[in-house]
Amino acid sequence: MTKCQICGTENLDNSQYCDECGANLNKSLNREKTNNGPQNYQTQISETPLYQSANITSVGLPPMGEDFKGGEIESEQNARPNAKGGHAVLIIERGEAVGTEFTLATDESYIGRWDADNGIFPDVDLDAYDNEAKVSRRHARIIHLNEKYLIEDLGSTNGTYINRGKRLIPGNSHLLNDGDEIIVGKTFLRFNITN
């Protein structure tokens, strides 16, 4: 087992990201001593992050994958909801509450389970529809960029699958098309573009 240096959670040895807080388990820690006593621990991060999210903390979230060729991600100041109320929807097709719709209204939408104690508030909150807890708190994200949609697994425990293909490699972005099936845990979602 690998212990997370951020939250202390025990994770499987081959895990890249913490199941609890999403921290990168492979990054070394940078210790900074303060004059007031205890040490503060911070993960080493780039001075210019590739993206920022208004919805959850960005500690440990993986960068865009190598197969993404679409350009830079907009900052949170530029990621605004679509004036028409949403640009795409996810619909539960298999699992708890079939037919439930989630509107994607920002350029970055997170799929996961709500956890107020750890500040995790995903846009597509499957907590009430995932009785077996097969969806990670920070499971995946969908990015709307330059009229294209990308999906990325965030190091989830049970993986993310598109159209029942191979498990997505965490941190790599994959093109998402209208009508694609997304599987997270035991929940099957249909992705539809609405505008």
Side-chain angles (χ1 to χ4, degrees), residues 3 62 115 179-180:
K3 188 173 184 177
D115 181 3
D180 279 352

Side-chain angles (χ1 to χ4, degrees), residues 119-152:
I120 302 170
F121 306 102
D123 304 288
V124 179
D125 179 12
L126 297 174
D127 190 49
Y129 313 106
D130 182 36
N131 293 333
E132 296 180 44
K134 297 294 184 183
V135 175
S136 296
R137 287 174 177 84
R138 292 187 182 116
H139 199 103
R141 70 178 172 155
I142 294 175
I143 301 160
H144 180 219
L145 180 68
N146 299 329
E147 304 304 319
K148 293 184 182 179
Y149 291 87
L150 305 164
I151 186 165
E152 179 180 358

Side-chain angles (χ1 to χ4, degrees), residues 72-142:
E72 295 182 10
I73 298 297
E74 295 183 37
S75 69
E76 85 182 70
Q77 296 92 339
N78 296 330
R80 294 186 186 95
N82 184 310
K84 297 176 185 172
H87 49 78
V89 295
L90 288 176
I91 304 166
I92 297 178
E93 288 196 333
R94 186 170 166 193
E96 300 288 325
V98 171
T100 301
E101 289 189 16
F102 299 91
T103 301
L104 306 182
T106 59
D107 290 334
E108 217 175 272
S109 301
Y110 288 84
I111 301 170
R113 289 187 297 116
W114 184 80
D115 181 3
D117 292 339
N118 291 303
I120 302 170
F121 306 102
D123 304 288
V124 179
D125 179 12
L126 297 174
D127 190 49
Y129 313 106
D130 182 36
N131 293 333
E132 296 180 44
K134 297 294 184 183
V135 175
S136 296
R137 287 174 177 84
R138 292 187 182 116
H139 199 103
R141 70 178 172 155
I142 294 175

Side-chain angles (χ1 to χ4, degrees), residues 3 29 35 43 46 51 55-56 74 76 79 86 117 119 121 124 154 168 170 189:
K3 188 173 184 177
L29 293 180
N35 295 333
T43 56
S46 168
Y51 63 89
N55 301 59
I56 63 174
E74 295 183 37
E76 85 182 70
D117 292 339
F121 306 102
V124 179
L154 298 176
L168 300 185
L189 302 163

